[in-house]
């Protein structure tokens, strides 16, 4: 199987999904820019305006600061599918990178992520497809955790 030879790129999936979610969030909740500012994050001009790996991880670790920007119940409802997608993505990725990942837990988080992501009404990009359809297949087929193949571990 191709997945046993070609490892899903953890970094590229991280960059693609977090940037896609943030860009979508920013369109429906302009104060999302304040989330970046409050965390001292600037988008890189590399490959267009985007967040890089460390910045993506910083956002995922500070979802409470996004919630704090909500002034009304409408704001909370507007950001909910995005904040849920960020949270579920982080939980699944964290587990994927453990030495002995729990595949049942990961599959559950990925399924929940997929449902939440669809509620954002964003398109299913290639990186979202790879994450929801192939990460667990890779882990099951190889027995490896993704930290062994991560671009960030070298």
């Amino acid at each position: 199987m191709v997945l046993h030879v070609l490892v899903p790129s953890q970094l590229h999936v991280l960059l693609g999904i977090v940037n896609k979610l943030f860009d979508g969030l920013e369109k429906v909740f302009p104060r999302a820019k304040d989330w970046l500012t409050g965390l001292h994050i600037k988008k890189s001009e590399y490959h267009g305006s985007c967040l890089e790996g460390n910045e993506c991880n910083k956002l995922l670790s500070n979802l409470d600061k996004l919630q704090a920007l909500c002034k009304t119940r409408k704001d909370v409802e507007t950001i909910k599918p995005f904040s849920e997608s960020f949270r579920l993505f982080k939980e699944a990725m964290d587990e994927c990178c453990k030495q002995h990942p729990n595949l049942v837990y990961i599959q559950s988080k990925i399924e929940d992520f997929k449902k939440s992501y669809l509620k954002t009404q964003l398109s299913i990009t290639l990186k979202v497809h790879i994450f929801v359809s192939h990460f667990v297949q890779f882990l099951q087929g190889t027995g490896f955790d993704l930290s062994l193949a991560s671009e960030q571990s070298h």
Side-chain angles (χ1 to χ4, degrees):
M1 179 178 261
V2 173
L3 277 176
H4 297 163
V5 179
L6 298 174
V7 178
S9 171
Q10 176 194 358
L11 177 61
H12 285 95
V13 168
L14 170 76
L15 295 174
I17 290 177
V18 172
N19 277 290
K20 182 72 172 177
L21 282 169
F22 184 80
D23 290 346
L25 173 64
E26 199 172 27
K27 288 177 183 169
V28 299
F29 187 68
R31 283 199 304 275
K33 291 177 191 162
D34 297 338
W35 187 25
L36 295 184
T37 304
L39 294 171
H40 309 286
I41 294 174
K42 289 185 181 179
K43 287 186 172 185
S44 170
E45 294 306 315
Y46 179 71
H47 290 305
S49 183
C50 65
L51 300 164
E52 293 185 9
N54 290 335
E55 289 78 18
C56 290
N57 285 323
K58 194 171 185 179
L59 279 186
L60 293 174
S61 296
N62 287 281
L63 293 173
D64 58 318
K65 296 193 177 7
L66 172 61
Q67 295 287 341
L69 293 172
C70 294
K71 306 282 187 211
T72 66
R73 185 181 263 324
K74 185 177 185 281
D75 288 347
V76 172
E77 291 303 314
T78 298
I79 72 162
K80 186 175 182 176
F82 294 92
S83 62
E84 281 295 298
S85 295
F86 281 127
R87 180 184 61 79
L88 293 162
F89 176 72
K90 179 183 184 338
E91 290 172 358
M93 287 295 277
D94 286 351
E95 187 67 25
C96 285
C97 295
K98 289 183 177 177
Q99 192 170 19
H100 301 287
N102 179 331
L103 298 181
V104 173
Y105 176 84
I106 293 168
Q107 186 65 51
S108 171
K109 291 297 175 181
I110 288 175
E111 284 300 317
D112 291 345
F113 165 81
K114 184 178 176 182
K115 291 174 191 168
S116 183
Y117 186 88
L118 290 172
K119 290 178 186 174
T120 68
Q121 299 183 346
L122 297 173
S123 61
I124 302 292
T125 64
L126 178 60
K127 291 170 185 173
V128 171
H129 168 76
I130 289 169
F131 179 64
V132 301
S133 300
H134 301 297
F135 266 47
V136 172
Q137 280 182 326
F138 171 78
L139 295 169
Q140 287 172 330
T142 64
F144 294 135
D145 65 89
L146 287 175
S147 68
L148 296 174
S150 170
E151 299 90 335
Q152 293 180 316
S153 67
H154 302 303

